[in-house]
Amino acid sequence: MEVHKIVIPTPYAVGDVNAFLVKGDALTLFDAGPKTEEAYEAIKWGLHSAGYDLKDVEQVVLTHHHPDHAGWIDAFPGAELLGHQYVDYWMKKEPEFLQYHERFFKKLLIEQGVPEKYVNRILHVKGEIELFGTIPLTGYLKEGDEVPGHPGLKVYETPGHAQSHLIFVDETTRECIGGDLLLERTSSNPLIEPPLDLSMERPKSLLQYNESLKRLKNLEISKVYAGHGGELTNIEPLIDERLEKQRQRALKVYGLLQTPQTNFEMTTQLFERIYQQQLGLTLSETLGQFDYLVDQGMVEIEERDGIHYYKKSDVSRFASSEGSKSLNKTGY
């Protein structure tokens, strides 16, 4: 692939986000930064350095719907806008979806034992919605598709960090435009989001994310053009490292779980210094670890008055001797 990287500033702790301009039968920009003036200027400068203007971009393709990636699709009104169908919920921002989104999270937060004063705080944070684009997609991409104008650039669905997450693999060079699936310096957060079918059944984001990482490992990728930081070539060892660190985080939660606790109670232990400032993010992280432990048979859920309490299972029922030894490893 002929790839030109554009580095775009964001207002987030993660720092800059990357967009990638790819010249094929069509001139395509993968991702479009947050909707800030600084990002807009960076996109214009990046295109100019490659010899193009905004009007030259024929299509914008999104790896996922998060605002640091999907903001400036508005800058390309004449271009085709492509991504996962889920992206359109955030572009259109229809009242029915926003109301459903609030109902979904209110129910979930109550189940996870979050006090009412914190529930209201999380539900009424709306600042990020201004950093999304406002133009609906002109077409959808799904598993197995080819990106129009780029023969052999195949679409893979990789949910976990986002329910809309896609990666794009060149079947000849094995290069991959990877969004936030695998990053150079940090693990992506598997964020809690409503499901694709807009039901009240919560996707288990961390389990999805782990499976997406394993899938990437099996694709024999030569290079990942990542959504943040530098490009990646030592991919398989990095994935193994990330999966092991995640397992260690889950085992720390297991070690702290001496009596049945809610997700909120465990979050206040794990993140006692920052949970009030980043409650949504920290609750999501802790819930992911509980999902992992439940999936492994190490923890069970007990419901009391509509609230979920997590408690240890009988380890002897499921653990091999090797697995039992690993339970002593409880550090991050």
Side-chain angles (χ1 to χ4, degrees), residues 32-325:
K35 200 174 182 181
T36 66
E37 285 302 317
E38 294 83 0
Y40 182 73
E41 292 301 320
I43 293 169
K44 285 202 304 181
W45 185 90
L47 290 172
H48 181 72
S49 70
Y52 300 103
D53 294 316
L54 291 170
K55 61 180 174 54
D56 296 321
V57 175
E58 296 172 271
Q59 60 186 9
V60 178
V61 175
L62 300 178
T63 60
H64 59 297
H65 70 275
H66 293 166
D68 55 333
H69 294 258
W72 271 120
I73 60 170
D74 292 13
F76 307 94
E80 295 295 311
L81 306 175
L82 305 174
H84 195 287
Q85 184 176 359
Y86 191 88
V87 173
D88 250 358
Y89 294 128
W90 292 102
M91 300 302 105
K92 294 177 179 177
K93 305 177 189 67
E94 294 176 340
E96 294 81 5
F97 171 71
L98 297 178
Q99 291 164 10
Y100 156 76
H101 188 268
E102 184 166 318
R103 289 195 308 273
F104 174 88
F105 275 104
K106 185 170 185 177
K107 176 179 180 292
L108 176 63
L109 292 169
I110 291 171
E111 286 177 349
Q112 299 303 313
V114 179
E116 185 175 354
K117 64 178 180 179
Y118 293 119
V119 171
N120 293 332
R121 181 194 300 179
I122 293 174
L123 292 179
H124 289 93
V125 173
K126 298 181 179 178
E128 284 194 359
I129 205 165
E130 298 175 358
L131 301 183
F132 283 100
T134 60
I135 300 176
L137 299 184
T138 59
Y140 300 146
L141 295 172
K142 64 183 184 303
E143 177 78 22
D145 286 348
E146 279 190 342
V147 178
H150 299 273
L153 189 58
K154 189 175 178 181
V155 178
Y156 291 83
E157 296 185 8
T158 51
H161 174 65
Q163 293 304 300
S164 61
H165 203 283
L166 303 174
I167 63 172
F168 308 93
V169 178
D170 187 312
E171 298 287 271
T172 301
T173 66
R174 308 309 297 172
E175 294 175 307
C176 171
I177 295 175
D180 285 357
L181 179 57
L182 185 66
L183 303 179
E184 179 184 23
R185 298 187 183 93
T186 186
S187 295
S188 296
N189 296 306
L191 299 174
I192 300 171
E193 293 177 336
L196 304 178
D197 62 3
L198 303 188
S199 69
M200 300 301 279
E201 186 73 24
R202 173 179 67 86
K204 294 179 172 58
S205 299
L206 180 59
L207 301 184
Q208 291 178 321
Y209 180 67
N210 286 350
E211 289 305 310
S212 292
L213 281 180
K214 293 172 187 176
R215 188 177 196 200
L216 180 65
K217 180 180 176 179
N218 291 332
L219 285 173
E220 299 181 346
I221 301 300
S222 63
K223 179 186 288 188
V224 172
Y225 294 95
H228 303 271
E231 286 71 65
L232 309 172
T233 55
N234 198 26
I235 295 159
E236 292 187 18
L238 181 58
I239 291 173
D240 289 340
E241 176 186 322
R242 294 287 159 76
L243 290 171
E244 175 59 20
K245 285 184 177 179
Q246 187 273 302
R247 188 180 73 92
Q248 294 297 331
R249 286 193 290 269
L251 293 177
K252 178 173 182 178
V253 171
Y254 184 85
L256 291 172
L257 191 64
Q258 299 305 312
T259 59
Q261 292 188 45
T262 67
N263 185 44
F264 177 78
E265 289 169 337
M266 180 60 73
T267 297
T268 63
Q269 290 186 66
L270 287 174
F271 303 100
E272 58 182 344
R273 296 179 183 176
I274 65 168
Y275 79 89
Q276 293 195 50
Q277 289 74 40
Q278 300 183 41
L279 186 55
L281 185 60
T282 54
L283 285 168
S284 186
E285 167 71 21
T286 308
L287 185 54
Q289 306 310 332
F290 275 133
D291 284 343
Y292 177 88
L293 292 168
V294 170
D295 185 65
Q296 293 295 307
M298 299 168 68
V299 164
E300 299 174 349
I301 300 173
E302 179 181 277
E303 186 172 328
R304 305 179 203 162
D305 299 323
I307 296 176
H308 292 179
Y309 289 81
Y310 296 86
K311 64 179 184 179
K312 288 183 177 179
S313 303
D314 180 3
V315 176
S316 64
R317 289 189 294 108
F318 62 85
S320 65
S321 58
E322 181 179 354
S324 297
K325 292 176 185 177

